Amino acid sequence: MATSTPVVNPSTILPLELIDKCIGSRIHIIMKTDKELVGTLMGFDDFVNMVLEDVTEYENTAQGRRVTKLDQILLNGINIAMMVPGGEMPDI
């Protein structure tokens, strides 16, 4: 009786591998709150805490969208809802 080996898709990539490939690149991050960030990913850990540089923070408030420029931030990964590698904030 022959044993079958599962077929592995060579293009399969794990989430942390994808984030690792984004180091040094721009990334668009959508938070669980009303904030979105666009910056250059400098590093991250196993909890997806991130260090970003040259960051633009977009926050939706009752008065409209507030835009804040930041040199560098440490972002807690527990508050991230979605990441878009190479993404920029769309003009609205």
Side-chain angles (χ1 to χ4, degrees):
M1 182 170 159
T3 59
S4 63
T5 57
V7 176
V8 178
N9 183 348
S11 66
T12 302
I13 185 168
L14 297 173
L16 290 179
E17 290 177 306
L18 177 60
I19 298 169
D20 189 53
K21 290 177 182 276
C22 295
I23 291 178
S25 300
R26 301 291 286 171
I27 190 166
H28 177 187
I29 299 173
I30 301 170
M31 306 298 290
K32 292 179 182 176
T33 61
D34 289 332
K35 291 185 181 183
E36 297 185 39
L37 301 137
V38 176
T40 302
L41 178 63
M42 302 310 294
F44 70 98
D45 64 11
D46 289 342
F47 301 101
V48 194
N49 298 315
M50 298 181 168
V51 176
L52 300 172
E53 286 187 348
D54 187 26
V55 179
T56 305
E57 177 186 67
Y58 302 90
E59 183 175 10
N60 294 321
T61 66
Q63 294 77 29
R65 186 196 294 180
R66 181 172 45 205
V67 179
T68 307
K69 300 281 188 177
L70 305 163
D71 290 332
Q72 188 176 61
I73 64 167
L74 172 61
L75 184 62
N76 188 329
I78 201 164
N79 297 313
I80 296 172
M82 185 170 67
M83 295 180 287
V84 182
E88 289 289 335
M89 185 68 182
D91 293 329
I92 297 176

